[in-house]
Amino acid sequence: MKKKMLLLNTTVLLGLGGVLSTPAYASTIQDMESQKSQIQNQRQDVQSNIKAASDELTRLQAEQDQMKAQLERLTLAEKENNKKAQKTEADIKETSKQVEQLEKEIKLLQEKLEKRNAILKDRARSLQESGGNVEYLQVLLGSSSFGDFVDRALAVSTIVDADRGILKETKNMQDELKTKQADVKSKLASLEDMKAELDEMTVQLAAQKKQKDALAKELKDKEAKNEELKASLQSKDSSLANEQSTLEQNIKDQKAAEEAARKAAEQAQKAAAAPAEKADSSSAKAEAPKASSNDVAPTSAPAPKASNVVTVGNRWIGNSAYVFGGGRSQSDINHGLFDCSSFVHWAYAQVGVNLGPLGSVSTETLKHAGTQVSSSQMQPGDLVFFDTYKKDGHVGIYVGGGKFIGAQSSTGVAIANMSSGYWKQKFNGRVVRI
C-alpha cells in the first residue's frame, strides 16, 4: 500500500514537473528576454548616436551663434555704409552746385574784365590822341598779355588817379578770378574722388549684401537640419523605448502567469501528497525563477596678449565687417567694424605703436607714417598699399608668403593673397616700414 502511494505521488510529481517545465513558458520568456536585450543594445547604439549628435548640435549651435553675431555685424555695416553712401551722394550734389555757381561767377568776371579791357584801351587811345605821355603809351602798348598790360599800367607813375582806380579794381578781379578757378579745380578733383569712392561703395555694398544673404540662408538651412536630426533621433529612441516597455510588461505578465501556475501546481501537489511522507512532499517544491538583471539603463560616456602686429588682428577674422569710415570709435572697435586704415591703426596700437590720431587716420597719413622701402625688401609687419578706387586707396599689413592682412571691404578683416589675382593687379609697389 505504501509502495502504491509512493508510486502515485511520484506520478503526480512527474506530471506537475512536466507542467512547470512546459517549453511554451520557457521559450516565450527566453525569446522575449533575448528580444529585449537586442532592443537595449539598439537603444544603447541610438543613445550613443544621440550623444554624438548632441555634441555636434552643441558645436553647430556655437557656430550658429557666431554666424548670428557676424550677421548682425554685416547688417550694422550695411546700414552704416548706406548712410555713408547717401552722405557722399549729397556731398556730390552740393559740390556740383558749388562748381556750377563758381563757373557762373567766373563767366561774369570774365565778361567784366573784357569790358574793363575795352575801357582801358579807349583811355589809351584817347590819351594818345590828346598828346599824352609817350613813355606811358609805349609801356602799355608793349605788354604781352592783358594781365601784363594791367601790371605795367599800375607801375607807371604818370597814370591819372581815375585810371589807377580802374586798374586796381581790374587787378583785384583778376586775382579773384584766379582764386575761383583754382577753387573750381580743387572741387572738381574732390568731386572725382567722391564719385570714385561712391562707385567703390556701391560695388562693395552689393558684395556685403550678397554675403549677408548667403550667411542668413546658410544659418537657416543649418537650423532646419539640426531640428530634423534632433527630431529623428528622439523619435527613434522613443520608438525603441516603447518596444522595450511593451516587452518588459509582457515578460512581467508572463512571469506572473507562470508564478500563478506554479503556485496552483504546488497546491495540487500538496493535496495529492498529503498521505505521503513529509519528505516526499517537500522534495517536490520548485524554486521560482529569478528576475532578469538586463533592465539596467545604459550609462552615457562621460585667450589674448598681443605680441606681434602680424598676428594680433587674427582675432577679427570671421568676426568683423567693413564700414567706410568705421573703426574710429570704441563702439565700432568693440563691434569689429573697421575700414582698412583704422584696422592698421588698431593693430599697431595693440603692440604699443601710435600711428597718429585715430580720428584722422587714412591711407594718406599712413603712407607718410614710416620709411619707404623697396617691395623687393618687404618684410612681415610692413604696410602695403593698393590702387583701388584711387591711388593708395587701400592699405594692409604684410604677413609674409605673399599675403597681407587687412580690413577688406567684401569680407571684413581677412588674410588675402597679393601674389596673384585681384590684389596683385592692385598692388602699386608702395611699402612703408613702421
Side-chain angles (χ1 to χ4, degrees):
M1 181 66 180
K2 189 174 181 180
K3 289 182 179 179
K4 288 182 179 180
M5 290 297 297
L6 182 59
L7 181 60
L8 178 62
N9 289 338
T10 302
T11 302
V12 171
L13 286 172
L14 289 172
L16 290 174
V19 172
L20 291 174
S21 61
T22 300
Y25 285 110
S27 175
T28 302
I29 292 175
Q30 184 178 2
D31 289 346
M32 287 191 293
E33 289 285 5
S34 175
Q35 188 177 357
K36 174 185 170 184
S37 178
Q38 291 175 4
I39 290 176
Q40 285 178 328
N41 290 336
Q42 289 179 24
R43 283 200 71 193
Q44 287 179 345
D45 291 341
V46 170
Q47 288 172 348
S48 176
N49 289 336
I50 289 176
K51 173 65 169 58
S54 178
D55 292 343
E56 177 65 7
L57 287 171
T58 300
R59 186 191 69 77
L60 287 175
Q61 185 60 53
E63 184 180 337
Q64 287 174 8
D65 291 342
Q66 185 176 2
M67 289 170 68
K68 286 178 181 177
Q70 181 65 358
L71 191 58
E72 289 174 0
R73 273 189 290 270
L74 287 173
T75 300
L76 181 59
E78 185 180 32
K79 180 180 177 182
E80 292 299 318
N81 287 335
N82 276 322
K83 284 167 59 178
K84 175 67 174 177
Q86 290 170 3
K87 183 179 183 303
T88 301
E89 286 180 341
D91 289 345
I92 288 174
K93 289 180 180 179
E94 180 61 28
T95 304
S96 297
K97 288 180 181 178
Q98 292 175 5
V99 168
E100 186 178 347
Q101 181 61 34
L102 282 171
E103 287 175 343
K104 288 179 180 178
E105 293 175 3
I106 288 172
K107 186 177 180 181
L108 289 173
L109 279 173
Q110 287 174 335
E111 290 175 354
K112 289 181 179 180
L113 283 170
E114 287 175 3
K115 291 178 180 178
R116 291 297 176 97
N117 187 18
I119 292 173
L120 288 171
K121 285 181 179 179
D122 288 342
R123 286 183 176 274
R125 288 194 201 96
S126 183
L127 183 61
Q128 184 179 17
E129 291 172 356
S130 62
N133 189 303
V134 176
E135 181 183 0
Y136 170 63
L137 291 174
Q138 288 176 343
V139 169
L140 293 179
L141 296 175
S143 59
S144 59
S145 65
F146 181 65
D148 187 30
F149 174 86
V150 173
D151 291 336
R152 284 170 177 258
L154 286 172
V156 177
S157 59
T158 58
I159 192 169
V160 295
D161 290 341
D163 289 344
R164 183 179 292 276
I166 293 174
L167 289 169
K168 281 186 176 180
E169 288 178 7
T170 304
K171 178 64 175 175
N172 291 338
M173 290 171 66
Q174 278 188 316
D175 292 342
E176 183 182 359
L177 179 60
K178 288 180 181 178
T179 300
K180 288 183 181 294
Q181 287 175 331
D183 195 13
V184 166
K185 186 177 180 180
S186 173
K187 286 185 181 296
L188 285 174
S190 174
L191 193 61
E192 288 178 0
D193 285 345
M194 283 192 289
K195 285 181 177 178
E197 185 177 12
L198 180 59
D199 290 341
E200 178 79 2
M201 280 191 279
T202 302
V203 172
Q204 299 308 331
L205 279 171
Q208 280 189 336
K209 187 177 186 305
K210 185 177 180 181
Q211 181 190 9
K212 188 188 78 170
D213 292 344
L215 196 59
K217 184 179 183 303
E218 183 182 355
L219 179 60
K220 186 176 180 181
D221 291 344
K222 284 193 174 185
E223 287 177 341
K225 287 180 181 178
N226 288 350
E227 291 300 325
E228 183 180 352
L229 174 62
K230 183 178 177 181
S232 175
L233 288 170
Q234 289 177 339
S235 175
K236 188 171 183 180
D237 185 59
S238 177
S239 177
L240 288 171
N242 288 336
E243 288 185 40
Q244 180 177 335
S245 178
T246 299
L247 279 171
E248 288 174 348
Q249 185 61 45
N250 290 342
I251 291 171
K252 183 178 179 182
D253 293 344
Q254 190 68 23
K255 286 183 176 180
E258 183 178 318
E259 181 66 14
R262 187 186 67 77
K263 288 182 178 180
E266 284 182 352
Q267 292 296 329
Q269 181 183 356
K270 286 180 182 179
E277 296 177 357
K278 293 181 179 180
D280 294 336
S281 177
S282 60
S283 64
K285 293 182 180 179
E287 286 188 15
K290 294 182 180 180
S292 172
S293 60
N294 292 333
D295 297 338
V296 179
T299 58
S300 300
K305 182 178 180 181
S307 60
N308 193 311
V309 72
V310 173
T311 58
V312 70
N314 289 352
R315 59 168 289 194
W316 293 116
I317 296 176
N319 297 303
S320 59
Y322 188 94
V323 172
F324 292 94
R328 286 164 179 77
S329 69
Q330 193 58 48
S331 175
D332 278 0
I333 293 173
N334 291 342
H335 288 88
L337 304 178
F338 296 97
D339 65 10
C340 62
S341 53
S342 66
F343 170 74
V344 169
H345 187 284
W346 174 87
Y348 269 93
Q350 304 312 298
V351 295
V353 178
N354 186 353
L355 296 181
L358 176 59
S360 59
V361 65
S362 66
T363 54
E364 192 66 24
T365 63
L366 291 176
K367 75 181 185 182
H368 300 297
T371 304
Q372 302 274 337
V373 298
S374 169
S375 59
S376 63
Q377 298 175 334
M378 199 158 41
Q379 296 178 2
D382 290 344
L383 303 188
V384 286
F385 291 80
F386 304 84
D387 292 344
T388 51
Y389 71 95
K390 67 175 183 178
K391 186 170 181 59
D392 298 318
H394 189 70
V395 64
I397 301 171
Y398 186 64
V399 300
K403 297 180 180 180
F404 75 100
I405 186 171
Q408 325 299 7
S409 54
S410 58
T411 59
V413 176
I415 294 176
N417 189 353
M418 57 185 289
S419 298
S420 62
Y422 176 82
W423 292 113
K424 181 180 181 180
Q425 296 173 6
K426 297 298 181 180
F427 178 53
N428 61 17
R430 186 187 299 279
V431 180
V432 174
R433 184 161 298 158
I434 303 299

